[in-house]
Amino acid sequence: MSVAHTVVTVVAAVMAGFSAYSVFARAEWAVKPMADYGVPASWTPWLGTAKAAGAVGLLVGLAVPAVGVAAAIGLVLYFAGAVITVVRARWFSHVPFPLVYAAPVVAALVLS
């Protein structure tokens, strides 16, 4: 395992964890856009849990690589779904936001 992989994985986990915390804390800047995109409010705990599980999985993956790969794939699929949701809602200027969170996850997956 390289230093680059470790650093990128920790950064990806921190970013996904922060995103999950923002959903759980119902931060307006995180929850309001989801409502604007048409995501039901009842989904927010599940979406936050998915991101939190992915963040923990990335960190566990530093010791158990298969778990890290599975977590990274799950987060990549999550953020791909976020991009699709934003595009379907026609908020094209918001597409970069999920991509910012997805980029370090993809990098961690590539470096694993």
Side-chain angles (χ1 to χ4, degrees):
M1 180 180 320
S2 70
V3 173
H5 174 254
T6 302
V7 170
V8 169
T9 300
V10 170
V11 167
V14 168
M15 289 179 68
F18 173 75
S19 183
Y21 171 77
S22 300
V23 170
F24 289 136
R26 300 204 188 285
E28 184 177 345
W29 59 267
V31 177
K32 185 181 179 317
M34 291 191 330
D36 293 342
Y37 306 148
V39 177
S42 63
W43 290 15
T44 55
W46 297 106
L47 296 174
T49 301
K51 289 190 266 193
V56 171
L58 287 174
L59 294 176
V60 170
L62 293 173
V64 183
V67 173
V69 169
I73 291 170
L75 283 171
V76 167
L77 292 173
Y78 176 93
F79 291 120
V83 168
I84 291 167
T85 300
V86 171
V87 169
R88 289 188 65 197
R90 298 187 174 275
W91 285 63
F92 302 112
S93 63
H94 289 199
V95 170
F97 297 124
L99 295 177
V100 166
Y101 287 96
V105 176
V106 170
L109 185 58
V110 168
L111 291 172
S112 65

